[in-house]
Amino acid sequence: MKIIFVANTSWYLYNFRKPLIVELLNLGYKVYTISPEDSYTKKLINLGVLTNNISIARSGLSPIKDVSLLIRLVKLYANIKPDIIHHFTVKPVIYGSYASRSLKNSKIINSIPGLGIVFSGFPITRLLVIFLYRLAISKKHQIIFQNPDDLKKFLDFKIVTMEQSSLIMSSGVDTEYFRPNAIVKNRSQIKFGLMARLLWSKGISEFVKAGHLLHKINNNTEFIILGNPDKDSLDSVSYEWLNKINESYTYIHWREHVDDVKSFLNEIDVFVLPSYYPEGVPKSLIEAASMKLPIITTKTPGCKEVVADWVNGILVPAKDIKALSIAMQTMAYDEKRRFEMGVNSRNIAKTKFSIEKVNKKTRYLYFNKNIER
């Protein structure tokens, strides 16, 4: 059996879908990927994946480039003759779905891992993308949503039907790997950490400003940002701004992205993600939860699916710097609460977001019909 994974970066496929790909390979299936070549392409090849490198612009609408993408996908699908095609992210879902119309015997799965900035941008762009979704997605396709808010929007926009829709919360987390090491932390210095693709809409500025407010009243606090700017996004934080943070303050630090984030999560006391980006379910949140960390995040779709307010963390309104700072202050002064919330976080990660459960649901969808609503 042949299965194709299509995404707008090889980075996404390796970092978010590697366990699923490995499981399928171990079961004897041939796994192909279609994505732009990047530093993760070789890692996919090393897994045993048959890679196909094509250009997929992550943002913007270019008729020439988009038609070229459609033609390339039609040709690749015709050559490979897959049994299953799984599309991820906006353009692969739209153009991949349309390209698959010529296939009679392939099952098409489309994952919507968050609506992205396009749904909160210019109305005319949003309307165009909705039109393209409607044009591309067939009632025969199965659609996976990561949170109920996104599912509701697609139903309201009449892009999908309930019968073809499934809810699989997140891409999953390896709870055995992401578990805290038995080290004693310096309790006199409370460390707040944020890791993300460094977009302004991830709440980077809000995190820094709230950190300033908290540090004025509690100088035993430290704030760490982990990640790199996204040069392909107009919403990207600049390297200049990040370097200035490091040069200007002793209690706020920026560190560049690392592939293995476990040591960073093991170092901090509280994980913070003040995102107002249209998330699916942020992988950083479920990794932090699995690492037994209390979490502060916003009441936005995707984020609020990971945190039960005042159970394993605190939910604050998006862009509310004062509320964010107060939540961080609460965590800083209450070690017992941090510990209890951390225990609850790990329980939530194991029961709702474990990679075993997520992959089991996804595999079931491949070979059956929709599984959960």
Side-chain angles (χ1 to χ4, degrees):
M1 180 172 282
K2 300 175 183 179
I3 302 174
I4 303 178
F5 288 76
V6 191
N8 61 14
T9 62
S10 297
W11 169 87
Y12 174 87
L13 292 175
Y14 186 84
N15 282 282
F16 287 79
R17 301 296 166 173
K18 175 187 171 185
L20 178 58
I21 289 171
V22 170
E23 284 187 24
L24 294 169
L25 289 169
N26 289 340
L27 288 169
Y29 301 120
K30 280 189 176 181
V31 178
Y32 299 75
T33 59
I34 299 175
S35 58
E37 185 173 10
D38 59 32
S39 60
Y40 289 84
T41 303
K42 287 185 178 180
K43 294 183 179 184
L44 289 170
I45 293 171
N46 290 339
L47 294 178
V49 171
L50 300 168
T51 61
N52 298 270
N53 304 317
I54 66 171
S55 176
I56 303 177
R58 289 171 51 202
S59 59
L61 294 171
S62 168
I64 295 175
K65 290 181 179 179
D66 292 346
V67 169
S68 175
L69 169 61
L70 180 61
I71 293 171
R72 288 291 306 278
L73 290 173
V74 169
K75 289 180 178 179
L76 282 169
Y77 292 172
N79 289 336
I80 296 172
K81 297 180 176 60
D83 299 280
I84 297 169
I85 306 174
H86 195 159
H87 302 115
F88 304 89
T89 63
V90 179
K91 287 199 175 186
V93 167
I94 290 173
Y95 295 106
S97 293
Y98 200 79
S100 70
R101 292 292 186 96
S102 61
L103 302 174
K104 294 182 179 180
N105 301 315
S106 300
K107 186 167 189 175
I108 310 302
I109 313 290
N110 291 320
S111 278
I112 312 296
L115 298 185
I117 293 175
V118 67
F119 269 78
S120 56
F122 296 111
I124 189 169
T125 305
R126 183 168 61 252
L127 289 172
L128 178 58
V129 171
I130 290 170
F131 169 75
L132 291 172
Y133 270 127
R134 286 175 179 165
L135 189 66
I137 293 176
S138 163
K139 289 183 179 180
K140 296 180 180 179
H141 298 167
Q142 293 294 310
I143 317 300
I144 298 173
F145 295 90
Q146 289 194 357
N147 66 67
D149 295 81
D150 291 354
L151 170 56
K152 184 178 184 305
K153 282 188 177 180
F154 269 58
L155 290 170
D156 291 344
F157 292 139
K158 301 188 186 305
I159 299 171
V160 300
T161 65
M162 182 61 83
E163 289 69 30
Q164 69 184 130
S165 302
S166 299
L167 187 64
I168 301 180
M169 305 282 275
S170 84
S171 56
V173 61
D174 184 343
T175 57
E176 285 304 305
Y177 181 77
F178 283 97
R179 60 190 309 160
N181 296 337
I183 64 170
V184 179
K185 296 181 180 180
N186 179 9
R187 296 302 177 189
S188 64
Q189 188 80 8
I190 305 303
K191 293 185 178 181
F192 295 85
L194 181 159
M195 70 177 185
R197 188 162 49 106
L198 297 187
L199 307 175
W200 292 116
S201 55
K202 296 284 187 176
I204 311 302
S205 177
E206 287 77 6
F207 177 71
V208 170
K209 291 175 181 177
H212 287 321
L213 291 176
L214 175 55
H215 194 75
K216 286 179 181 178
I217 59 176
N218 184 345
N219 58 14
N220 293 320
T221 51
E222 187 176 349
F223 311 89
I224 308 170
I225 301 167
L226 180 71
N228 285 354
D230 184 347
K231 60 183 177 63
D232 294 322
S233 174
L234 296 175
D235 189 40
S236 180
V237 177
S238 70
Y239 278 103
E240 290 76 14
W241 186 85
L242 293 165
N243 286 324
K244 188 175 181 180
I245 288 289
N246 281 347
E247 293 167 1
S248 302
Y249 307 103
T250 58
Y251 57 92
I252 303 178
H253 313 283
W254 164 61
R255 300 176 187 173
E256 292 204 65
H257 166 80
V258 293
D259 284 340
D260 190 348
V261 299
K262 182 178 177 180
S263 60
F264 167 74
L265 293 172
N266 207 61
E267 174 188 356
I268 63 176
D269 300 283
V270 182
F271 188 82
V272 185
L273 186 66
S275 180
Y276 50 96
Y277 182 87
E279 308 274 5
V281 169
K283 193 172 182 68
S284 61
L285 284 185
I286 59 175
E287 288 174 345
S290 186
M291 287 291 289
K292 211 173 181 179
L293 286 170
I295 296 169
I296 300 172
T297 191
T298 52
K299 300 174 182 178
T300 54
C303 294
K304 61 186 175 68
E305 270 62 53
V306 183
V307 172
D309 203 13
W310 294 96
V311 175
N312 70 312
I314 302 174
L315 293 172
V316 298
K319 301 183 183 181
D320 192 330
I321 295 166
K322 184 177 180 180
L324 178 59
S325 183
I326 291 171
M328 291 162 74
Q329 181 180 345
T330 300
M331 292 287 196
Y333 284 111
D334 197 335
E335 182 179 349
K336 182 181 178 183
R337 187 189 299 275
R338 293 198 305 272
F339 177 79
E340 290 173 349
M341 285 185 170
V343 171
N344 293 335
S345 272
R346 178 146 178 88
N347 289 336
I348 287 172
K350 291 172 71 175
T351 55
K352 288 181 67 175
F353 303 110
S354 76
I355 194 68
E356 293 83 8
K357 291 182 178 180
V358 167
N359 284 354
K360 182 179 180 181
K361 290 179 179 181
T362 306
R363 292 197 313 272
Y364 187 89
L365 185 60
Y366 285 174
F367 308 113
N368 297 277
K369 293 186 179 181
N370 55 318
I371 51 169
E372 183 179 338
R373 297 178 187 168

